[in-house]
Amino acid sequence: MSGSTAVRSGLRGAGWLLPAAIVLIALNFRGPIVAPAPVIGEVRVDLGLTATLAGLLTTIPVLCFSLATPFASWVIAKADPERAVSLSLVIVLVGTVLRSVPSSAALLVGTAVIGIGITIGNVVIPVVIRRDTSPERVGLVTGVYTSALNVGSMITSLGTAPIAAVWGWPVAIAVWAGFAVVAGLAWTYTVGARAAWLRRARSEPVAATGPVELLTETGSIRTVRSDTGAAPVRPARRLITWGLTLAFGGQAFSYYALTAWIPTLLHDEIGFSAESSGASSSVFQILAVVGALGVPVLATRWRPRAIIALVAFLWLAMPLGLLVAPQLWLLWSVLGGAAQGGGITVIFIVIVRIVTNDDDARRMSAFVQGGGYLIGSAGPLVAGSLHGATGDWTAPLLVVLVAVLTLGVVGTLAARRVT
């Protein structure tokens, strides 16, 4: 049996082990970003931060997702996915602890360190999922991964303010470093199990993997074998790559703008306390699980373009609803939350369907996420600046609405030939 076939056998026989490890890892890839949002008022008072500077606490890590993506891709290529995942968790741990030091410099530097660590994880996890998951389960495991991203956001949104009320905001944003420790231990065990499976795989025949879809330069779809030896087309030369990047950017811009400012918006518009605002905004995060797990089910029967159109339609309810009837925030959070969880999932599924091997997956994942997060990084900063300039939430919500439309229109066009 060839070495590449042995590598692809990975953890497929371990059943639950890889998804469980991915869940624990994913808890660290969004939670640390949203942790300051429920206590941003206290942070601003203690450190004298302006609204724009406070917006940077969410903008910086998302900007790192873009600017540090070439570095992350290089790390994965030079090392291996196993070490890259471990490194990402260590960096997130260090950054979370550093950020809890009560000074503006430590807050910003720690946030940047967290962003670099998460960037490595963002790029490598889709590669790991594709490599170690059978083709028929890739969509489901991708949904589990994106669900866990939002579960991490939900837990930190729900728990940060109550912890801060008892021990202060530095402890409240530092305590989530425990997730990185737990995930690191789980990943170490998973890597050991994978090594054992590889030793067995080298002495046992393994069935060939299923076909994948490749979008050629001409825009047509052809079926190829997984891990083909042919050199893939560079991501920048594929029209679909640019469309997915813009769609991902619209998704990321909307998500991070609302994640950063929903607690403050609910406080201003409805009069919620800091604790209530944090708990209420967690609805937006946890409902993403419905979308993230629902999209893989739809993907077995629907074409990706139809799913993207549905996701964008539901997403629009969030900014429009908050503009027209903010008192119905719960309904809008349910619809928008499910949509944002489905949005990132369907884009990842499209990426997995059009790549031809692990190196192609790494390049495509890095390109789409790098460009998309560059757009998304502007979300919190633009929303915060517009709110500071106008004194209300109309302009920020209108900008989010335009970003959602970009996801729907461009994403649907980009995926029109993908089956």
Side-chain angles (χ1 to χ4, degrees), residues 17-226:
L17 187 57
L18 179 66
I22 285 176
V23 166
L24 293 174
I25 292 165
L27 295 178
N28 296 275
F29 288 172
R30 292 299 179 273
I33 299 173
V34 305
V39 293
I40 195 63
E42 299 161 46
V43 175
R44 289 181 61 184
V45 170
D46 285 356
L47 302 182
L49 303 180
T50 63
T52 300
L53 196 57
L56 284 175
L57 295 180
T58 303
T59 299
I60 287 175
V62 185
L63 189 60
C64 286
F65 293 173
S66 173
L67 300 182
T69 292
F71 169 73
S73 183
W74 177 83
V75 167
I76 298 165
K78 292 297 182 182
D80 56 50
E82 288 74 26
R83 291 190 180 92
V85 172
S86 299
L87 179 62
S88 71
L89 292 172
V90 170
I91 295 174
V92 169
L93 172 63
V94 172
T96 302
V97 173
L98 177 60
R99 186 180 60 176
S100 66
V101 176
S103 78
S104 57
L107 191 68
L108 296 175
V109 172
T111 298
V113 172
I114 290 171
I116 293 171
I118 294 176
T119 302
I120 298 173
N122 282 343
V123 177
V124 74
I125 289 297
V127 176
V128 170
I129 291 174
R130 180 189 179 277
R131 185 192 67 181
D132 291 331
T133 305
S134 58
E136 64 272 12
R137 295 183 64 204
V138 164
L140 177 60
V141 177
T142 300
V144 168
Y145 167 59
T146 54
S147 295
L149 293 176
N150 288 279
V151 170
S153 298
M154 180 275 297
I155 293 173
T156 52
S157 294
L158 195 62
T160 299
I163 294 173
V166 178
W167 289 293
W169 67 262
V171 173
I173 64 175
V175 71
W176 308 115
F179 280 165
V181 175
V182 174
L185 294 174
W187 182 245
T188 300
Y189 179 81
T190 302
V191 170
R194 181 177 186 275
W197 273 97
L198 287 177
R199 285 193 294 270
R200 284 199 290 270
R202 291 189 180 98
S203 61
E204 298 175 4
V206 177
T209 58
V212 295
E213 300 294 334
L214 171 64
L215 188 71
T216 65
E217 287 183 274
T218 62
S220 62
I221 294 290
R222 64 184 176 90
T223 300
V224 298
R225 299 303 301 175
S226 182

Side-chain angles (χ1 to χ4, degrees), residues 178 236 296 298:
L298 291 177

